[in-house]
Each structure stands twice: as structure tokens, then as C-alpha cells.
Amino acid sequence: MTVSAEKSYEIQDSGVLTFPEGFVWGAATAAYQIEGAAREDGRGPSIWDTFSRTPGKVHAGHTGDVACDHYHRYPDDVRIMRDLGLAAYRFSVSWPRVQPDGSGPANPRGLDFYDRLVDELRENGITPIVTLYHWDLPQTLEDRGGWTNRETAERFAEYAAITHARLGDRVETWTTLNEPWCSAFLGYASGIHAPGRAEPALGFTAAHHLLLGHGLAVQALRASGAGKVGITLNLSPVISDDAEAAAIVDGLQNRIFLDPVLRGEYPADVVEHARRFTDWSFVRDGDLEIISRPTDLLGVNYYHPQTVAARAGEPANPVYPGSEGIAFGGADAPRTAMGWPVQPFGLTDLLLRLARDYPGTPLLITENGAAFDDVVEDGEVHDVGRLSYLDGHLRAAHAAIQGGADLRGYLVWSLLDNFEWAEGYRKRFGIVHVDYGTQRRTPKDSALWYSEVVRRNGL
Ligand code: FCB
């Protein structure tokens, strides 16, 4: 998809913006990034425990062992959300807390934690939104092939059912996977994330089994009477002067997940493109019917568009197998601490494209946010860069709603500074600052500003 830069963002750059009535405002986190308590109450090891202990994989050897100590401090964190006036909180359940080695009966003490958290949220008027898989696969399952093994998809559905049985009376909204693109292509094709395997073919195999796991989990959740069910994808509009380069990257980033889930088929051009790596024999009869079981919402994680150009001799980017001859980056835009370009118009374009190409599924922004090098000064954090990033993206989301996108809510990434995967603790995405030495929480200016946005239901 080729998009033109200025168009959409200009539409609504002034005046007061009000979001639709009932628009859901909240924040998101993930288990391994905030909980800590890595060995408590029977939790088993996950691939991120192993990976973060592998020399050279995570910045400065950081691990999630302690993280934000949310496992013990969750009442304080819920209070912070209540004080900010947030209506919803998206967190993930740690599979290895629920099933320490990925199969068999539940570990009740692991589920007890989420039970307490859900009650605490509800007592404070905050709606829990559960993500079942935010990357912390039980290590025992990885030892049997992880997501390259079809059986992992079946284990995932069992875990989904177990978790729903315990929390489903109080949790209405469930998302199965967070960003299967990252699990497959960062985890198995390029080795940048856990489990650190690096073969293009494995990326495609893992992607399919993740999708199958999603479909089987949707079935399991429906069978146990779940309210709303969906999946969260990380989607990026692709900007390019070169239609072929744009189609390749768009296929590998977006359509390889959107099409099976929402149309029941893999895109023909992606299947063709990947043939040099795989014969796709892991796709069995009936799989796509399972994968495309109707869902109630699509979770959208948006950070920035991908700008690409055709450039002869460019080596393949390992996270996009077969992308030789394509140069990545080069957007003319300000950057966050991750080096990601700040281009809010991409969110408008993305949401409008989803509304157009995949109509009928309500959208929820399950993540959007930015890392900056924040400092605490006299008990305050003046994070103007983040505040302006969020402001721009909310305006972009509003423009999409006006253009017809069925957007139901917005969850900022993240409530707290946390363990940013391979970057460890050095990248701060929180609207609340965490001092990792003292575990002191300090709401940043962006949090105070966001609280006001939530109160007014607009900007
Ligand atoms: C997303 C992840 C989330 C966080 C943000 C910055 O890809 O889902 O855990 O790391 O990026």
C-alpha cells in the first residue's frame, strides 16, 4: 500500500475533538515486562527467562526477574490507574504461571494472582481486558519445538480454556495472541527475540501455528461462553515509491495475519514469495476455517509506518525473509528513543484501510505509545515528546473515526516503564515513571494530560 504523507493528518488539526460516547480509554502492559516474581508461587520458566540469561541477547543482561514488581505492588498500580480515571486495563496472563510446563492441570497459585488482580480492578471501576499470550511461552514447550511444533497450538487452546474457567465470570474481553508477527519473525526467523532461532522457514511455520493456536483458542473460549474474543496484531502501513517493494513488506507484515484471520486465506502473493523458504506443507485441510472463526474485535498495535525503497544490492532484512533489494527506514520525521519515526498520519491510514479492506470487525487500539529518555526532576517528569506523540496519534485516531473506522477504544502503551524485551530497561514507554532501584512510581506529565483527555472524552 502506498500512502501519501500529509493528507489525513491535516483534516482535524485544530479545535476541540470529542470521541464517540462509550469510547474506551485505558492502558496496557504485559506479564513478563512488569510482574517480576519470576520464581514465585510455582511459576515455571518461559522462553524469555532463558533468552534474557543468554549472553548478548538482552541489553546489559537485564531480565524480568524483578521488573516493576507488579506481582506484589498491583494494588498500588491499580490505584494509580483509578486516580488517572482510566476505564480499562489490558494485561497479559503468564502461561507459565498457569501451567508451569505448558500442559496439564492448572497451578492454582498462579491463577490466584490474576484472580486478585481482576477483583482489584473491578473494585476500582476498571474493566479488565485479558491477553492470553504476550510472548512468554513455557520453556518446556519450546524444548519440544515451540511454535514450530503444531502441538503448541493445541496446548495454547487448553491453557485458554483453563484461564477462562477461572476468570471468565469477571472478564468479558479476551485477546488470544499479542503480535504474532513478533513471535514468528523476531523469535524464529531472525533470533532478535526469544527463543532466538534464526531460520526464515521457521518464521512461516511459527506464524501458521500461532494463527492455528489463535483459532483453536477462539473455539475454546466460545465453548466456555466467553464474551468478546479477538486477536492483537502489530500493523504498519508501508510507504514507498516502489509498488513491488511495498507489496512485499505489506504482505509479510500485515496481510499474512489479517487475511487468514479475517478472510480465511493466505494472500496468494505472500504464499508465492515464501515458496523459496517453505512449501507450506504445515497448512492442513481445515486449518484456515479454524483460523478464521468469527471474532468480535481486532486489536491494533500501531507505532509507526514502514518506509521502504527499492535498492539494488541491499541484503535481506532478516525479519522480512526474502526482502533483499529493499531498503528500510529513511522516513523524514522526528524520532523516538527507539529510533522510530513519529508519523501519526500512518494511524489514520491504517485504520481507514482496515475499515475498507476488512469491514465488519470493530477495532480497538490495544497499543500505541513512545519511548523517550525521561528524567525525574523534583518529583516530576516533563515528557513533552511523549505527550505530543500521544496527542498527534489521538488526533489521527479521531480522524479515522470521522472517516468511518469503527474504532471502539484506545489503550496507551504503557502504563509503566518496563522491561522492553531485547532493549531491557533502558527504553521507557510508560506514562508512569518507574525508578527500578526503589520501585517508586511517578506519573509523568503525559499521564496527567492523558487523565484529562479521558475525563473530557476528547482533546
Ligand atoms: C510491542 C509489544 C509491547 C512493547 C511495545 C513497545 O511490540 O507488544 O510489549 O514492547 O511494542
Side-chain angles (χ1 to χ4, degrees):
M1 179 178 63
T2 321
V3 295
S4 78
E6 294 83 51
K7 221 178 22 194
S8 13
Y9 186 45
E10 260 170 26
I11 308 173
Q12 21 55 35
D13 206 8
S14 61
V16 177
L17 299 184
T18 304
F19 283 74
E21 217 185 290
F23 193 79
V24 175
W25 296 99
T29 62
Y32 190 73
Q33 295 181 275
I34 65 164
E35 286 178 358
R39 274 174 283 276
E40 247 164 273
D41 294 333
R43 178 186 178 278
S46 82
I47 54 174
W48 273 96
D49 295 284
T50 309
F51 190 73
S52 61
R53 283 181 170 65
T54 310
K57 296 297 186 189
V58 173
H59 170 73
H62 292 167
T63 73
D65 283 2
V66 178
C68 307
D69 194 29
H70 173 77
Y71 193 79
H72 302 113
R73 293 168 194 264
Y74 73 92
D76 298 342
D77 293 335
V78 172
R79 205 165 311 125
I80 291 172
M81 287 190 264
R82 184 203 59 199
D83 291 348
L84 292 174
L86 304 191
Y89 175 51
R90 170 184 182 244
F91 62 92
S92 78
V93 171
S94 159
W95 187 349
R97 278 196 201 286
V98 175
Q99 290 176 299
D101 53 20
S103 57
N107 165 34
R109 287 180 301 160
L111 281 168
D112 287 348
F113 169 67
Y114 299 104
D115 211 71
R116 294 192 293 274
L117 173 61
V118 164
D119 285 345
E120 189 79 18
L121 288 163
R122 286 163 50 92
E123 277 157 26
N124 284 280
I126 300 166
T127 303
I129 297 178
V130 168
T131 300
L132 283 163
Y133 185 73
H134 202 126
W135 306 354
D136 42 359
L137 185 72
Q139 181 61 44
T140 314
L141 294 185
E142 179 55 32
D143 296 341
R144 289 192 230 128
W147 289 108
T148 67
N149 180 352
R150 189 177 170 94
E151 261 183 55
T152 299
E154 286 156 30
R155 296 290 84 76
F156 178 63
E158 288 164 10
Y159 150 68
I162 288 174
T163 307
H164 183 270
R166 184 68 177 272
L167 305 176
D169 57 336
R170 284 151 296 152
V171 175
E172 201 204 353
T173 305
W174 296 76
T175 65
T176 54
L177 307 174
N178 176 71
E179 303 191 351
W181 180 86
C182 292
S183 300
F185 292 101
L186 299 181
Y188 291 88
S190 63
I192 293 170
H193 277 184
R197 300 177 70 186
E199 283 174 50
L202 298 184
F204 293 98
T205 314
H208 181 68
H209 293 149
L210 281 151
L211 284 168
L212 183 63
H214 155 76
L216 292 170
V218 169
Q219 283 183 345
L221 291 166
R222 294 267 188 241
S224 29
K228 293 186 188 151
V229 184
I231 187 170
T232 279
L233 302 177
N234 54 314
L235 302 170
S236 284
V238 182
I239 303 172
S240 184
D241 292 334
D242 187 276
E244 198 188 332
I248 289 173
V249 177
D250 181 53
L252 291 171
Q253 175 79 56
N254 302 316
R255 289 181 288 115
I256 190 174
F257 294 102
L258 286 167
D259 283 19
V261 171
L262 298 171
R263 292 181 173 167
E265 61 192 16
Y266 280 107
D269 62 324
V270 175
V271 173
E272 227 14 72
H273 174 84
R275 273 207 202 283
R276 42 196 276 223
F277 304 112
T278 175
D279 60 7
W280 294 85
S281 56
F282 46 75
V283 182
R284 299 202 190 150
D285 283 354
D287 283 2
L288 282 152
E289 274 143 52
I290 296 171
I291 292 169
S292 60
R293 291 272 187 264
T295 47
D296 308 296
L297 64 111
L298 174 65
V300 176
N301 290 358
Y302 171 81
Y303 289 92
H304 61 88
Q306 287 291 358
T307 297
V308 303
R311 191 180 299 153
E314 194 71 28
N317 178 341
V319 308
Y320 298 103
S323 61
E324 48 279 291
I326 300 177
F328 287 79
D332 179 20
R335 305 266 160 179
T336 70
M338 296 292 280
W340 296 348
V342 180
Q343 298 180 296
F345 68 85
L347 180 58
T348 313
D349 291 327
L350 172 64
L351 295 171
L352 290 177
R353 179 232 189 146
L354 293 172
R356 186 190 65 223
D357 293 353
Y358 306 91
T361 307
L363 307 172
L364 175 66
I365 296 178
T366 37
E367 289 181 25
N368 174 245
F372 286 98
D373 298 326
D374 305 310
V375 283
V376 184
E377 295 167 280
D378 300 328
E380 298 182 349
V381 181
H382 305 301
D383 58 336
V384 277
R386 180 173 300 99
L387 197 156
S388 114
Y389 179 98
L390 297 178
D391 179 78
H393 285 77
L394 287 177
R395 287 174 194 280
H398 190 271
I401 294 172
Q402 298 219 293
D406 184 8
L407 180 66
R408 303 289 176 93
Y410 177 92
L411 308 175
V412 65
W413 183 271
S414 178
L415 176 68
L416 303 171
D417 290 337
N418 60 49
F419 175 81
E420 178 46 34
W421 309 114
E423 298 290 341
Y425 295 97
R426 73 169 155 174
K427 301 296 180 199
R428 295 180 174 273
F429 273 91
I431 57 171
V432 175
H433 182 276
V434 176
D435 177 325
Y436 296 110
T438 61
Q439 292 294 351
R440 177 192 290 273
R441 272 71 163 145
T442 307
K444 304 177 190 177
D445 286 356
S446 59
L448 308 177
W449 168 87
Y450 186 54
S451 170
E452 196 52 28
V453 172
V454 173
R455 199 182 61 75
R456 292 191 201 174
N457 193 33
L459 296 150

